[in-house]
């Protein structure tokens, strides 16, 4: 099994390009199920989760053609199977996103209950209740969601008891071909939801309010093909900026979206970074200085993202002072704490809050990734640790970071992929 071997202590400097956003690409790929016309999706990141989603679409009979630049042409007209099997779904929770498009376009779907990162309960009941409100019949048998509808889904007013990104995306897609108007209240406002809506609009959907907590969809009879480019990955961008901050360096991330990172940028500036931005780039400069610890509290967008919490914990571990990190989204998202402590981090967890006392330095050690963003925190800690760090179970990293060793290496990190 692959591992990452990192020798710490190098200051990172240079320019790195942000890849396409995995969390936007996955729902956009699912949205191709809503039309029988050809669709081309560009700027897809070369990640295991993307490959899994393409494999899932292929297993249902979709034609999938990938070019050398990770652009994908999809042809749903050949679809002949409406089932998302457990063998694929268990590795990626985003597989649930095919449920809404399948039942809306084809009137039936069988989707296994999803797996994915072990970062806490992420129930799909909000997805199912919303589809039932639109007229679908839902049964759960032997670990499968079995959904059907007689005729078309019907527009409905749906209020989410809890903000849910995938729930918003699933019902947003389902509503595009429903009869009448659907109003989604207390919807997720994440940029990835907005990107999905923009893709759907380019396919002929009638959508307004995306980016706010109330999304209005007027159903249409059919959607058509399109060519669409996925937005840049804001979490990858933030991770590389912290790589510069934690090593006292200067890193510019290009081909990114500045507007999607306002909460992260504010905390980096609070930590002492000098941030400059352009239309599609962000530069962080620490001037060789050690960061100052910051307090973090995660919440739905536009507040501080849960997907950046672990990376800031790594930064706080070597910062000046004491910082608190409160996780309000997922209950099991402190599993990286024990691994950081193996490297010398001083962290005390009480409930959903971690108090991090900054150390002068960390020490390299063998550690194990427990989920996608936890793995990123270990990479960041390893960049500044004395000696070598070997990170196991890096398949988690490969789910969300494209060629991370090559990108960090281009900034001056000593990092390699090894087999033992």
């Amino acid at each position: 099994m692959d591992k990452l071997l990192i020798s710490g202590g190098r200051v990172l400097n240079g320019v790195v390009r942000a890849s396409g956003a995995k969390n936007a690409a996955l729902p956009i790929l699912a949205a191709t199920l809503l039309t029988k016309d050809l669709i081309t999706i560009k700027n897809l990141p070369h990640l295991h989760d993307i490959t899994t989603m393409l494999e899932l679409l292929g297993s249902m009979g979709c034609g999938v053609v990938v070019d050398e630049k990770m652009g994908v042409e999809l042809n749903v007209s050949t679809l002949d199977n409406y089932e998302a099997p457990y063998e694929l779904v268990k590795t990626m929770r985003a597989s649930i996103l095919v449920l809404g498009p399948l039942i809306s376009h084809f009137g039936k779907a069988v989707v296994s209950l999803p797996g994915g990162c072990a970062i806490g309960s992420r129930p799909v009941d909000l997805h199912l209740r919303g589809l039932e409100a639109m007229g679908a019949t839902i049964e759960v048998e032997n670990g499968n969601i079995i959904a059907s509808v007689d005729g078309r889904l019907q527009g409905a007013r749906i209020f989410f008891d809890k903000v849910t990104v995938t729930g918003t995306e699933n019902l947003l897609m389902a509503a595009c071909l429903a009869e009448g108007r659907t109003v989604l209240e207390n919807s997720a406002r994440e940029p990835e939801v907005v990107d999905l809506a923009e893709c759907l609009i380019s396919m002929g959907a009638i959508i307004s309010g995306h980016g706010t907590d109330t999304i209005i969809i007027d159903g249409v009879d059919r959607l058509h093909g399109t060519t669409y480019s996925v937005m840049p990955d804001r979490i990858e961008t933030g991770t590389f900026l912290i790589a510069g901050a934690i090593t006292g360096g200067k890193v510019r991330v290009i081909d990114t979206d500045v507007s999607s990172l306002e909460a992260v940028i504010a905390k980096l500036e609070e930590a002492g970074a000098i941030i400059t931005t352009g239309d599609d780039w962000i530069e962080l400069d620490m001037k060789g200085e050690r960061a100052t610890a910051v307090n973090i509290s995660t919440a739905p967008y536009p507040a501080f993202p849960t997907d950046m919490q672990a990376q800031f914990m790594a930064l706080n571990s070597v910062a000046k002072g004491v910082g608190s990190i409160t996780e309000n989204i997922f209950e099991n998202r402190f599993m990286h704490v024990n691994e950081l402590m193996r490297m010398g981090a001083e962290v005390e967890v009480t409930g959903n809050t971690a108090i991090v006392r900054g150390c002068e330095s960390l020490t390299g050690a063998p550690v194990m990734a427990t989920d996608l963003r936890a793995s990123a925190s270990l990479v960041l800690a390893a960049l500044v640790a004395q000696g070598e760090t070997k990170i196991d179970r890096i398949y988690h990293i490969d789910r969300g970071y494209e060629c991370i060793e090559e990108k960090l290496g281009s900034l001056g990190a000593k990092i390699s992929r090894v087999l033992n």
Side-chain angles (χ1 to χ4, degrees):
M1 186 178 293
D2 284 4
K3 298 176 175 61
L4 283 179
L5 184 64
I6 302 172
S7 296
R10 297 190 173 203
V11 177
L12 299 195
N13 292 289
V15 179
V16 64
R17 176 187 175 274
S19 298
K22 180 195 77 162
N23 289 340
L26 293 172
I28 285 171
L29 287 173
T32 64
L33 292 168
L34 289 167
T35 179
K36 292 183 179 178
D37 294 348
L38 289 177
I39 285 188
T40 300
I41 306 299
K42 297 183 176 181
N43 200 36
L44 288 172
H46 187 50
L47 300 171
H48 182 68
D49 278 9
I50 300 298
T51 304
T52 300
M53 181 62 87
L54 293 175
E55 186 179 353
L56 174 58
L57 294 172
S59 75
M60 292 188 287
C62 299
V64 179
V65 178
V66 183
D67 66 26
E68 69 279 359
K69 295 183 179 179
M70 275 305 288
V72 176
E73 184 181 84
L74 295 117
N75 179 7
V76 179
S77 66
T78 55
L79 185 139
D80 57 5
N81 174 26
Y82 309 97
E83 181 175 356
Y86 178 69
E87 288 70 25
L88 291 174
V89 174
K90 69 180 180 181
T91 65
M92 185 182 65
R93 295 192 62 89
S95 304
I96 191 69
L97 289 167
V98 302
L99 178 62
L102 281 176
I103 190 172
S104 186
H105 190 185
F106 300 101
K108 52 188 173 181
V110 179
V111 179
S112 291
L113 290 168
C117 280
I119 57 174
S121 175
R122 293 192 278 187
V124 298
D125 61 311
L126 298 178
H127 306 231
L128 305 187
R129 291 208 304 265
L131 289 172
E132 286 178 329
M134 298 172 73
T137 299
I138 306 286
E139 297 179 2
V140 179
E141 295 181 0
N142 303 317
N144 292 320
I145 301 166
I146 303 170
S148 62
V149 65
D150 185 13
R152 291 172 68 182
L153 293 174
Q154 300 297 306
R157 181 174 291 272
I158 298 167
F159 179 84
F160 294 107
D161 293 337
K162 181 180 180 181
V163 176
T164 163
V165 174
T166 54
T168 299
E169 291 167 341
N170 230 337
L171 298 185
L172 170 61
M173 290 186 283
C176 288
L177 295 179
E179 187 172 4
R181 171 169 286 188
T182 299
V183 180
L184 304 179
E185 297 181 298
N186 198 29
S187 295
R189 300 166 58 185
E190 271 70 6
E192 294 80 8
V193 175
V194 175
D195 206 36
L196 170 64
E198 290 297 327
C199 178
L200 291 167
I201 290 169
S202 76
M203 296 166 64
I206 302 174
I207 302 169
S208 61
H210 45 298
T212 76
D213 61 4
T214 301
I215 304 176
I216 301 171
I217 309 101
D218 290 306
V220 297
D221 291 335
R222 67 179 297 272
L223 296 179
H224 54 71
T226 190
T227 297
Y228 193 81
S229 185
V230 174
M231 67 173 284
D233 194 321
R234 62 191 173 106
I235 305 303
E236 184 198 39
T237 298
T239 301
F240 285 124
L241 292 175
I242 291 185
I246 202 169
T247 63
K250 181 179 180 180
V251 169
R252 176 178 289 205
V253 185
I254 61 172
D255 294 340
T256 192
D257 180 5
V258 180
S259 65
S260 67
L261 281 156
E262 290 180 355
V264 171
I265 289 172
K267 285 298 175 181
L268 286 170
E269 289 179 326
E270 189 180 327
I274 298 171
I275 301 288
T276 52
T277 62
D279 290 340
D280 63 352
W281 58 267
I282 306 173
E283 184 174 273
L284 173 144
D285 191 353
M286 291 301 294
K287 302 287 187 181
E289 296 295 323
R290 184 180 170 198
T292 300
V294 294
N295 298 327
I296 298 293
S297 182
T298 67
Y301 190 87
F304 190 89
T306 180
D307 280 352
M308 285 299 301
Q309 172 259 108
Q311 296 92 314
F312 267 85
M313 185 177 290
L315 181 61
N316 274 355
S317 295
V318 293
K320 295 178 290 187
V322 179
S324 67
I325 296 179
T326 302
E327 174 55 60
N328 297 304
I329 307 296
F330 295 122
E331 69 270 23
N332 291 343
R333 215 165 201 182
F334 281 152
M335 291 190 292
H336 48 285
V337 168
N338 287 337
E339 300 303 297
L340 288 173
M341 291 175 68
R342 284 173 52 80
M343 301 175 69
E346 296 183 19
V347 186
E348 182 178 342
V349 177
T350 302
N352 66 331
T353 298
I355 305 298
V356 186
R357 187 177 301 276
C359 302
E360 288 286 343
S361 63
L362 300 176
T363 303
V367 292
M368 180 178 68
T370 53
D371 64 67
L372 171 53
R373 305 308 172 185
S375 66
S377 74
L378 299 180
V379 170
L380 293 169
L383 291 174
V384 75
Q386 297 178 1
E388 286 190 342
T389 299
K390 186 177 286 187
I391 304 175
D392 200 356
R393 296 175 66 181
I394 63 169
Y395 57 83
H396 286 296
I397 298 175
D398 293 336
R399 289 186 51 236
Y401 292 91
E402 180 179 41
C403 305
I404 190 167
E405 69 272 24
E406 295 176 16
K407 289 189 173 185
L408 288 174
S410 73
L411 297 174
K414 188 176 181 181
I415 176 173
S416 60
R417 188 174 292 247
V418 296
L419 292 177
N420 53 49

